[in-house]
């Protein structure tokens, strides 16, 4: 008996030694929140990483980005502000009304929790220390609780964390639960911090204050940071990259793409004319139809097929027919393909615009019926991996030959992107007209000797389209409707991407439908936005930027009314872009291009 107890104590101590305390992370959050300086942030994170054991690295790096699941998992913590408010009340003994009043003055439930826990703790002693692992595990649990009684369970779980938390810890627990961390850690900063702390000889002599550093050798520094970036783009796993980086540069360099895990796809630049497109990719170039569907990264390993969107979300179960096409028509045991899935009308065989198949992406039920009603054709245009070999470094021309050799093309099922190789402007123009007449968006110009760069918008791939008339924007606010729209969010505030966050560009309600069958409806957008509400004042709400919609408009005007400096005239919602993240939306440059373009 005594021996057993001794062993238990020993195990407990051992476990204790291994676990990082949450307080350590909360202190780092606090330092990060206090400084806007990127280098200082890098230095804070780099020190934190240095203190973190391998076992905790994955958790710490996810939590720093306010997440508990990798980017490619669909699960979100998804807890509404109301519920957190209740949990704060339960943990502190203050009434819900009192908590709510404090919320309206402080405007941030994290600060509310911090101050109420501080008041409470003057009367009690802390009973336990929270570890990073405890908090991480509980946050993950919140995401999986579902069904009857889950609301109460969630409140209890949050309240129990808050009861053991110190005031500053409570602030960040609440913000993590609400997925609104406000510490400003960009992925690029994390990447640099990994390079500083895990790779030898990279950390610059940094005094903790200045805005710029002079690493001994700028070239070597950039190379190290680039090495970390490439590893992240391939694996989308900061924890794994940091752990491998600790082993050395060679190991990091050798990190392969993992079949079955999503990879960030390569993106395209834009050209205004065919000449410009040729200039960017050189002649002769490969030119392909630009299909108007959505990006699908497909991985195959024996009988297992996985399909990911460009947001890295897995959508395999939503597209059973695509899985079947890949199993039947791809002659490879293991491969990773890049492609565009395009909808077509099953009666006429004509391609349809993206919006008609967009509803399939989020669909959980009636999948087979949807597959018949809104069929897709897979247009394969690239390959990243084949039979154990990473193909990222191979020239595009060779990669294309490989897909030609392994895909048994079948119209309306799986085909290769239609391609010509030419350096002639006339031929390209004729190909463009052919493409657009078939219902496509335009052309993609591709550099024949270019490697595949995951996650980059390098000029290896250039798009050439007809005049732009549609923008993808993110919803950052809305207004509660009145009268027959009561209970619905209306008048959406939309924003484009700026250098440091999102810039508003207008309000839109037109185009939203009364019924779901007709397209993106008030009720659906309300359901999507409600859990994202961060602040409310009267009928106005602010939401966490997450939901991306497409808009058409008559004109763009200069306007001081919105933070972008522009406003859309007669905007109309054309649909939901559930395959896009706020990082994929139109940037201010694109808005400016459109503004000046229309003047021409
Ligand atoms: P857009 O709204 O014009 O699609 P974007 O910013 O969303 O632009 P880009 O990467 O700039 O995306 O444009 C290229 C997109 O076009 C790809 O992401 C892919 O989904 C699609 N596409 C269609 N046909 C092809 C093709 N043959 N090769 C590569 N990409 C293609």
């Amino acid at each position: 008996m005594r021996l057993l107890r001794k062993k238990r104590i020993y195990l407990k101590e051992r476990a204790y030694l291994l676990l990082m305390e949450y307080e350590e992370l909360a202190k780092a959050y606090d330092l990060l929140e206090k400084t806007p300086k990127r280098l200082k942030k890098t230095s804070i994170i780099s020190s934190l990483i240095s203190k973190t054991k391998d076992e905790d690295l994955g958790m710490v790096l996810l939590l720093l980005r306010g997440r508990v699941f990798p980017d490619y998992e669909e699960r979100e913590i998804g807890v509404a502000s109301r519920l957190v408010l209740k949990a704060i009340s339960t943990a502190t003994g203050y009434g819900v009304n009192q908590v709510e009043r404090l919320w309206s003055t402080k405007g941030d439930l994290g600060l509310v929790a911090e101050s109420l826990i501080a008041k409470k703790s003057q009367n009690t002693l802390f009973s336990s220390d929270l570890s990073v692992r405890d908090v991480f595990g509980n946050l993950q649990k919140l995401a999986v609780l579902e069904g009857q009684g889950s609301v109460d369970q969630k409140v209890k779980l949050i309240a129990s964390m808050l009861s053991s938390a110190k005031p500053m810890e409570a602030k960040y627990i609440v913000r993590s639960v609400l997925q609104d961390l406000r510490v400003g850690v960009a992925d690029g900063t994390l990447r640099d911090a990994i390079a500083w702390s895990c790779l030898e000889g990279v950390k610059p002599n940094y005094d903790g204050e200045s805005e710029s550093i002079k690493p001994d050798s700028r070239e070597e520094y950039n190379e190290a940071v680039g090495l970390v970036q490439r590893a992240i783009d391939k694996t989308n796993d900061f924890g794994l990259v940091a752990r491998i980086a600790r082993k050395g540069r060679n190991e990091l360099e050798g990190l392969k793409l993992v079949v079955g895990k999503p990879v960030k796809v390569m993106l395209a630049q834009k050209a205004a004319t065919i000449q410009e497109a040729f200039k960017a990719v050189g002649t002769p170039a490969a030119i392909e139809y630009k299909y108007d569907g959505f990006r699908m990264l497909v991985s195959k390993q024996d009988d297992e097929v996985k399909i990911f969107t460009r947001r890295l979300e897995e959508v395999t179960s939503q597209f059973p027919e695509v899985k079947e096409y890949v199993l039947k028509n791809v002659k490879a045991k293991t491969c990773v393909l890049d492609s565009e899935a395009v909808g077509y009308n099953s009666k006429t065989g004509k391609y349809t615009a993206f919006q008609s198949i967009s509803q399939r992406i989020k669909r959980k039920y009636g999948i087979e019926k949807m597959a018949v009603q809104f069929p897709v054709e897979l247009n394969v245009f690239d390959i990243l991996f084949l039979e154990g070999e990473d193909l990222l470094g191979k020239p595009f021309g060779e990669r294309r030959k490989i897909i030609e050799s392994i895909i048994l093309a079948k119209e309306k099922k799986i085909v290769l992107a239609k391609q010509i190789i030419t350096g002639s402007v006339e031929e390209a123009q004729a190909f463009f007209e052919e493409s657009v007449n078939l219902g496509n968006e335009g052309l993609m110009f591709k550099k024949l000797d270019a490697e595949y760069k995951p996650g980059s918008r390098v000029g290896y791939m250039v798009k050439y389209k007809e005049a732009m008339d549609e923008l993808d924007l993110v919803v950052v606010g809305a207004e509660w409707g009145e009268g027959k729209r009561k209970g619905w969010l209306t008048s959406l505030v939309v924003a484009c991407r700026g250098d440091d966050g999102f810039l508003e560009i207008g309000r839109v309600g037109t185009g939203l439908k009364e019924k779901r069958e007709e397209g993106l409806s008030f009720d659906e957008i309300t359901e999507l936005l409600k859990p994202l509400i961060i602040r409310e004042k009267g009928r106005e709400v602010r939401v966490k930027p997450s939901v991306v919609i497409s808009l058409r408009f008559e004109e763009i005007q200069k306007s001081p009314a919105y933070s972008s400096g522009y406003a859309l005239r007669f905007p109309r919602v054309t649909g939901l872009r559930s395959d896009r993240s706020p990082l994929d939306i139109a940037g201010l440059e694109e808005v400016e291009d459109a503004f000046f373009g229309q003047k021409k």
Side-chain angles (χ1 to χ4, degrees):
M1 213 34 206
R2 250 187 45 210
L3 214 75
L4 236 153
R5 196 177 315 140
K6 244 184 164 171
K7 185 165 178 207
R8 219 179 287 143
I9 291 171
Y10 165 70
L11 281 175
K12 213 170 158 187
E13 272 175 6
R14 222 185 105 218
Y16 178 70
L17 281 178
L18 277 175
L19 298 180
M20 175 179 259
E21 284 182 30
Y22 186 69
E23 190 175 11
E24 192 88 56
L25 179 60
K27 280 184 186 156
Y29 282 142
D30 185 53
L31 292 173
L32 289 166
E33 190 177 350
K34 285 186 181 135
T35 179
K37 291 182 184 159
R38 176 164 172 178
L39 283 176
K40 194 157 183 179
K41 285 183 194 272
T42 312
S43 159
I44 295 163
I45 299 171
S46 149
S47 315
L48 182 73
I49 295 176
S50 302
K51 281 187 234 163
T52 310
K53 299 210 166 64
D54 271 6
E55 293 80 351
D56 284 341
L57 256 182
M59 289 185 276
V60 167
L61 288 171
L62 275 175
L63 286 169
L64 276 170
R65 300 167 70 230
R67 298 191 57 92
V68 285
F69 297 106
D71 292 356
Y72 49 84
E73 284 214 13
E74 260 185 76
R75 277 180 292 182
E76 296 275 345
I77 302 174
V79 174
S81 313
R82 293 261 128 216
L83 237 147
V84 176
L85 203 144
K86 256 190 169 167
I88 297 175
S89 158
T90 311
T92 59
Y94 287 85
V96 169
N97 289 342
Q98 279 169 298
V99 180
E100 195 160 11
R101 266 200 302 281
L102 204 56
W103 184 24
S104 66
T105 53
K106 290 195 185 281
D108 168 8
L109 278 170
L111 292 175
V112 173
E114 182 179 35
S115 79
L116 293 181
I117 295 280
K119 280 193 195 161
K120 177 196 146 204
S121 58
Q122 286 165 359
N123 312 317
T124 49
L125 278 175
F126 292 111
S127 53
S128 60
D129 282 323
L130 282 170
S131 68
V132 163
R133 185 160 301 196
D134 294 332
V135 176
F136 188 84
N138 284 335
L139 291 174
Q140 280 200 331
K141 254 188 232 159
L142 284 174
V144 291
L145 285 173
E146 260 181 43
Q148 225 189 6
S150 63
V151 169
D152 285 342
Q153 281 171 301
K154 284 184 188 179
V155 173
K156 267 196 203 140
L157 196 59
I158 303 166
S160 81
M161 280 193 280
L162 294 179
S163 304
S164 317
K166 302 186 177 74
M168 195 209 285
E169 293 177 327
K171 169 162 105 184
Y172 294 109
I173 288 173
V174 162
R175 288 190 184 168
S176 301
V177 170
L178 291 172
Q179 294 184 284
D180 184 26
L181 207 45
R182 306 192 193 183
V183 296
V185 177
D187 285 357
T189 313
L190 268 187
R191 170 202 61 208
D192 293 0
I194 291 174
W196 286 25
S197 66
C198 303
L199 291 175
E200 232 166 283
V202 176
K203 186 168 182 191
N205 230 342
Y206 174 60
D207 61 9
E209 286 310 322
S210 38
E211 300 279 358
S212 69
I213 38 166
K214 289 198 191 74
D216 297 340
S217 155
R218 177 50 76 177
E219 216 170 282
E220 256 175 58
Y221 180 84
N222 288 346
E223 197 189 300
V225 168
L227 185 60
V228 176
Q229 182 65 52
R230 279 197 298 284
I232 293 169
D233 289 335
K234 267 190 208 176
T235 60
N236 292 297
D237 186 337
F238 286 86
L240 174 73
V241 171
R243 280 197 305 277
I244 303 290
R246 279 179 173 173
K247 294 188 181 162
R249 288 173 200 230
N250 285 344
E251 282 77 359
L252 196 57
E253 194 111 46
L255 196 64
K256 276 194 194 164
L257 188 151
V258 187
V259 180
K261 290 265 167 67
V263 183
K264 281 200 192 115
V265 294
M266 179 159 77
L267 299 169
Q269 290 183 352
K270 214 168 42 180
T273 60
I274 289 177
Q275 285 83 348
E276 212 180 273
F278 273 130
K279 205 165 150 212
V281 299
T283 46
I287 309 180
E288 297 173 359
Y289 287 172
K290 184 179 193 307
Y291 301 95
D292 184 16
F294 74 98
R295 195 87 175 247
M296 263 190 188
L297 191 90
V298 183
S299 83
K300 172 180 188 296
Q301 185 150 37
D302 299 313
D303 303 344
E304 194 170 5
V305 172
K306 286 192 178 172
I307 308 171
F308 299 97
T309 66
R310 70 186 239 180
R311 292 182 71 173
L312 312 180
E313 285 172 334
E314 193 180 340
V315 290
T316 317
S317 56
Q318 288 91 313
F319 294 91
E321 81 274 34
V322 173
K323 180 174 169 176
E324 191 194 306
Y325 304 155
V326 171
L327 284 177
K328 278 202 186 134
N329 299 325
V330 178
K331 290 185 292 173
K333 247 169 95 74
T334 315
C335 65
V336 178
L337 303 171
D338 196 357
S339 64
E340 184 88 350
V342 197
Y344 62 90
N345 182 314
S346 50
K347 294 202 183 84
T348 62
K350 281 218 164 112
Y351 287 138
T352 54
F354 165 78
Q355 290 308 334
S356 67
I357 50 164
S358 67
Q359 39 185 328
R360 290 191 60 184
I361 300 172
K362 292 270 164 193
R363 199 68 176 212
K364 299 250 153 58
Y365 313 99
I367 284 170
E368 299 292 341
K369 201 172 139 203
M370 288 296 264
V372 175
Q373 213 174 346
F374 302 102
V376 298
E377 175 185 68
L378 197 67
N379 290 267
V380 181
F381 55 76
D382 217 327
I383 182 162
L384 286 64
F385 194 93
L386 178 72
E387 317 296 18
E389 198 191 342
D390 210 315
L391 304 179
L392 300 179
K394 280 213 187 307
F396 174 66
E398 273 183 45
R399 297 201 304 275
R400 167 80 190 196
K401 292 229 163 67
I402 295 175
I403 45 178
E404 284 169 4
S405 73
I406 62 166
I407 290 173
L408 293 166
K410 261 249 148 73
E411 284 270 312
K412 295 298 179 295
K413 289 186 170 170
I414 181 170
V415 294
L416 294 172
K418 179 92 191 272
Q419 188 192 76
I420 58 169
I421 294 179
T422 181
S424 139
V425 173
E426 292 73 35
E427 262 181 64
Q429 182 62 38
F431 196 50
F432 174 76
E433 275 150 32
E434 176 186 309
S435 174
V436 172
N437 286 339
L438 286 171
N440 298 312
E441 276 188 310
L443 297 177
M444 299 295 298
F445 286 66
K446 299 183 179 183
K447 193 171 162 64
L448 279 164
D449 57 2
E451 60 182 315
Y452 189 103
K453 276 203 149 195
S456 309
R457 203 179 277 281
V458 276
Y460 298 163
M461 199 161 95
V462 176
K463 57 185 169 187
Y464 171 63
K465 296 202 276 192
E466 283 200 298
M468 193 220 56
D469 54 357
E470 198 167 43
L471 285 177
D472 291 343
L473 298 169
V474 69
V475 183
V476 295
E479 196 179 276
W480 285 111
E482 287 180 313
K484 93 175 177 182
R485 305 231 161 113
K486 198 160 188 260
W488 283 344
L489 286 169
T490 59
S491 187
L492 312 176
V493 184
V494 287
C496 64
R497 204 166 24 78
D499 283 339
D500 287 313
F502 298 104
L503 300 169
E504 291 176 14
I505 186 169
R507 274 189 176 270
V508 58
T510 314
L512 290 170
K513 308 288 194 260
E514 303 284 330
K515 297 193 188 114
R516 285 203 188 197
E517 306 82 81
E518 296 163 357
L520 181 59
S521 63
F522 286 106
D523 128 70
E524 183 175 6
I525 195 89
T526 305
E527 197 177 292
L528 291 168
L529 295 176
K530 222 167 149 184
L532 303 172
I533 294 178
I534 325 171
R535 260 155 291 165
E536 280 197 62
K537 199 166 191 190
R539 284 170 51 209
E540 281 295 320
V541 304
R542 303 300 299 173
V543 299
K544 205 181 132 209
S546 166
V547 175
V548 178
I549 56 176
S550 295
L551 280 93
R552 279 180 192 270
F553 47 87
E554 302 250 309
E555 203 188 338
I556 298 183
Q557 296 177 316
K558 286 229 180 219
S559 161
Y562 297 105
S563 51
S564 63
Y566 293 92
L568 302 178
R569 244 168 81 82
F570 303 121
R572 176 167 52 84
V573 178
T574 51
L576 186 67
R577 290 295 320 213
S578 39
D579 62 325
R580 300 280 157 104
S581 89
L583 294 176
D584 301 321
I585 64 169
L588 187 60
E589 339 71 72
E590 202 171 318
V591 172
E592 274 165 355
D593 279 357
F595 174 74
F596 290 111
Q598 74 195 6
K599 296 212 119 177
K600 267 195 261 164

